[in-house]
Amino acid sequence: MTVALMWEARAVPGRGEDLLAWARDQRLPVRPLRRETFRAPQDRVLVITWWDAEFDAELPELPEPDAELAGRAVHRWRFESLGE
């Protein structure tokens, strides 16, 4: 089974590039099958990692950024891939 973990944060106003750089610098203890980083208006950053694992498996996730960088708590979602 392929599981996708989504991590989404919104930067403090004007710190979007800093949050993006911070997210890109975060290393996980295990390498996922795939990892992509996105940005959106309002200084939002999204990271999706794909894993060959059961839906409820313990998987490494990106941490919460410091409060000086993130304007709110990180949103996290987990999805099971159903193919194309």
Side-chain angles (χ1 to χ4, degrees):
M1 166 184 301
T2 301
V3 175
L5 301 184
M6 295 178 63
W7 176 101
E8 187 263 338
R10 185 172 179 180
V12 169
R15 301 283 314 267
E17 288 300 318
D18 296 329
L19 179 61
L20 178 60
W22 179 90
R24 286 182 162 168
D25 286 344
Q26 299 307 300
R27 297 291 166 244
L28 298 170
V30 179
R31 186 179 172 111
L33 296 172
R34 182 174 161 195
R35 176 176 171 165
E36 280 193 71
T37 304
F38 304 84
R39 72 172 146 201
Q42 301 176 331
D43 291 328
R44 290 178 294 155
V45 175
L46 172 68
V47 178
I48 304 174
T49 56
W50 286 263
W51 303 89
D52 181 16
E54 293 300 314
F55 188 80
D56 58 353
E58 285 196 36
L59 298 168
E61 296 190 52
L62 273 67
E64 293 275 338
D66 292 335
E68 301 85 43
L69 196 55
R72 61 163 167 73
V74 168
H75 293 174
R76 301 171 193 271
W77 300 276
R78 185 176 287 224
F79 295 90
E80 173 187 353
S81 174
L82 301 177
E84 294 187 34

